[in-house]
Amino acid sequence: MRIRRCGVVYFEPREQVEFDLSLLLTGGDGLNRERRWLALAPHLGQEVEVDGDERELLGVLSPGQWIEIDSIEADADTLARLLREGLVISDAPEHADMRERDESLRRTYWHPLAATLHAFTRWSGVDTVQNQKDSGTETAVAMRQVLGAPPVEAVRRADDDARVRLPRIAPTSFDDLLARRATCRNFDASRTLPFDTFAQVLQRVFAAQAEVRVTDDTVFLKKNVPSGGGLHPMECYLIVQHVDGVAPGLYHYQSQEHALEPLPAPAKPLREFVMDMVAQQHWFADAHVVVLLSPRFDRTFWKYRHHAKGYRVIALEGGHLSQTLYLAATDAGLGAFITGAINEVELEQAFGLDPIHQGALAICGFGWRGPVMETAELDPAERVWQRADG
Ligand SMILES: Cc1cc2nc3c(=O)[nH]c(=O)nc-3n(C[C@H](O)[C@H](O)[C@H](O)COP(=O)(O)O)c2cc1C
């Protein structure tokens, strides 16, 4: 049997601090501190605690060069555990699963730090609303009390008299559109969204507008948003809830065909499923259309191999799509939102995404705004709610 180390692994010396009353009663500070070494290997997607021997052995093995297992002096149990956990890879059939995951990561050309960040910042089963309640940070006033004052709202680098004042240009219809953009947290599930409005928003935000065919297998799309390397890695997955003529359910949007591709329904009722995906943010649960921004990392990393900026570029693209979605929705008289507080693991399972190749980056949505503001929206100039009331 030949072995080598997995392609990417980082070690973290982690300290866990827990309150222990007995320590307080015996004159201590009441805190029990435990330190342990964790191996963070992105192809595994979960941390593995390792001891000193295991850590040392992983430092001895090459990630690139295969060696015969008998050629190194290592404790058999230590090696067997590392093989079982997938930190050491072998060419034996019984370790094929771990070898395939490791090779899959290598083939995707992730920057190793980005792969690790991505793998270990995914959520599963998180209830962000409860977490805010528990930390007493539900409102802006409560946040100020608990967290203290934030850094100043906008930086000033010159004295008043040194500032070069710019003219305020008279607003056009574009300024009006921008001013009516506000994150919507009050959707009206009693109204359905017209099919054509739904199609128009998707066409403006996600559709391929033209293409450049370099060869039959190398095609670049032109869209209404910029994209690093022109690669447009972002796929659009949909949870359609209240749209005329579209059966509620999960879909993939095919950007060249401007078409919906139906996917298997989730095990739960759709609204409950949306709640789980947006980490229990009930103010988004009635959105007529929920959009998962799902980057294909392998598409961008095909060009930007092991690139220090690749992952950042993909995250930036989420912002471009989201702002375009907000404006397209606002133009259609609708509200829109984005949230980064999502349960990626459940999203990957529901949409059949392998996180090494294709991720869950953010969730957006759009639909009719309701008549009553039950959850706060940021509209200090009353450009949205005044219109709704008047
Ligand atoms: C990347 C990103 C993530 C966000 N995540 C959330 C979220 O989890 N929940 C939420 O209610 N709003 C979320 N928002 C919306 C912001 O709270 C909102 O943009 C901000 O309060 C300013 O309000 P405005 O968009 O109406 O101008 C997010 C915005 C961005 C850009």
Side-chain angles (χ1 to χ4, degrees):
M1 187 196 298
R2 293 186 316 151
I3 59 168
R4 66 179 179 180
R5 205 203 68 204
C6 63
V8 179
V9 60
Y10 289 93
F11 296 106
E12 180 190 342
R14 186 175 301 170
E15 181 170 85
Q16 204 160 325
V17 183
E18 266 166 25
F19 180 71
D20 183 339
L21 184 62
S22 65
L23 293 175
L24 196 64
L25 298 177
T26 51
D29 62 2
L31 296 178
N32 182 24
R33 293 185 162 79
E34 253 180 49
R35 279 167 294 275
R36 53 206 186 113
W37 280 97
L38 294 165
L40 306 177
H43 70 294
L44 300 178
Q46 54 192 26
E47 306 163 345
V48 181
E49 185 170 352
V50 288
D51 63 24
D53 290 343
E54 289 164 338
R55 199 187 61 229
E56 285 308 309
L57 179 53
L58 287 165
V60 167
L61 290 172
S62 162
Q65 193 182 15
W66 291 99
I67 56 164
E68 286 300 330
I69 194 163
D70 306 334
S71 68
I72 58 159
E73 275 183 32
D75 174 65
D77 289 345
T78 304
L79 199 48
R81 172 157 189 264
L82 292 177
L83 278 164
R84 213 169 42 244
E85 296 287 356
L87 292 166
V88 172
I89 305 299
S90 96
D91 62 0
E94 65 265 33
H95 300 128
D97 278 1
M98 291 299 184
R99 185 169 66 249
E100 176 43 38
R101 289 207 67 70
D102 178 58
E103 281 171 6
S104 177
L105 186 81
R106 291 168 191 256
R107 281 195 303 269
T108 313
Y109 304 114
W110 278 91
H111 186 283
L113 283 169
T116 309
L117 173 77
H118 179 68
F120 293 101
T121 50
R122 285 148 64 242
W123 283 0
S124 173
V126 170
D127 180 339
T128 192
V129 177
Q130 189 59 45
N131 290 349
Q132 275 179 13
K133 277 187 194 146
D134 293 348
S135 61
T137 55
E138 276 184 286
T139 63
V141 173
M143 265 194 287
R144 168 66 184 83
Q145 275 164 1
V146 174
L147 306 174
V152 67
E153 66 280 10
V155 170
R156 287 167 204 267
R157 297 287 304 268
D159 294 336
D160 263 8
D161 55 359
R163 260 181 227 123
V164 181
R165 309 246 164 217
L166 304 174
R168 300 261 177 196
I169 306 297
T172 67
S173 58
F174 184 58
D175 297 281
D176 184 53
L177 176 68
L178 291 172
R180 285 185 287 118
R181 182 214 59 82
T183 297
C184 181
R185 298 194 185 86
N186 300 277
F187 288 97
D188 185 353
S190 70
R191 289 176 80 182
T192 54
L193 194 63
F195 186 58
D196 284 359
T197 311
F198 166 70
Q200 183 189 46
V201 172
L202 293 183
Q203 180 182 331
R204 287 179 163 177
V205 185
F206 297 106
Q209 307 292 331
E211 61 179 48
V212 175
R213 196 160 279 272
V214 180
T215 57
D216 274 352
D217 61 2
T218 307
V219 179
F220 292 86
L221 302 177
K222 174 72 183 172
K223 297 193 181 179
N224 288 342
V225 291
S227 174
L231 289 160
H232 290 291
M234 208 73 75
E235 292 296 318
C236 163
Y237 287 89
L238 298 166
I239 310 169
V240 175
Q241 298 205 96
H242 318 288
V243 177
D244 286 335
V246 183
L250 309 193
Y251 296 87
H252 171 248
Y253 174 74
Q254 213 298 327
S255 66
Q256 289 162 296
E257 308 289 335
H258 183 44
L260 300 180
E261 299 178 327
L263 297 173
K268 300 185 167 187
L270 215 49
R271 191 179 186 282
E272 221 177 290
F273 173 73
V274 171
M275 283 281 280
D276 288 349
M277 299 306 120
V278 297
Q280 308 304 326
Q281 296 179 89
H282 48 83
W283 48 89
F284 295 142
D286 291 322
H288 300 68
V289 182
V290 174
V291 181
L292 169 64
L293 299 182
S294 171
R296 280 184 298 140
F297 300 112
D298 44 14
R299 171 106 176 149
T300 292
F301 301 163
W302 163 76
K303 175 175 179 190
Y304 298 111
R305 296 191 178 193
H306 309 299
H307 200 293
K309 310 297 172 188
Y311 188 65
R312 191 184 302 184
V313 163
I314 287 176
L316 288 168
E317 291 184 30
H320 289 286
L321 283 159
S322 148
Q323 175 71 355
T324 309
L325 178 77
Y326 267 78
L327 294 183
T330 305
D331 183 61
L334 309 173
F337 74 90
I338 179 169
T339 173
I342 60 172
N343 281 309
E344 290 92 340
V345 173
E346 285 80 359
L347 282 162
E348 289 155 6
Q349 283 163 1
F351 287 99
L353 310 172
D354 175 349
I356 291 180
H357 298 277
Q358 194 170 0
L361 183 69
I363 282 186
C364 298
F366 59 95
W368 294 118
R369 203 175 236 112
V372 182
M373 195 200 290
E374 279 167 9
T375 303
E377 295 186 17
L378 189 62
D379 184 32
E382 297 188 357
R383 296 300 300 266
V384 178
W385 283 94
Q386 195 190 29
R387 279 166 180 268
D389 295 347

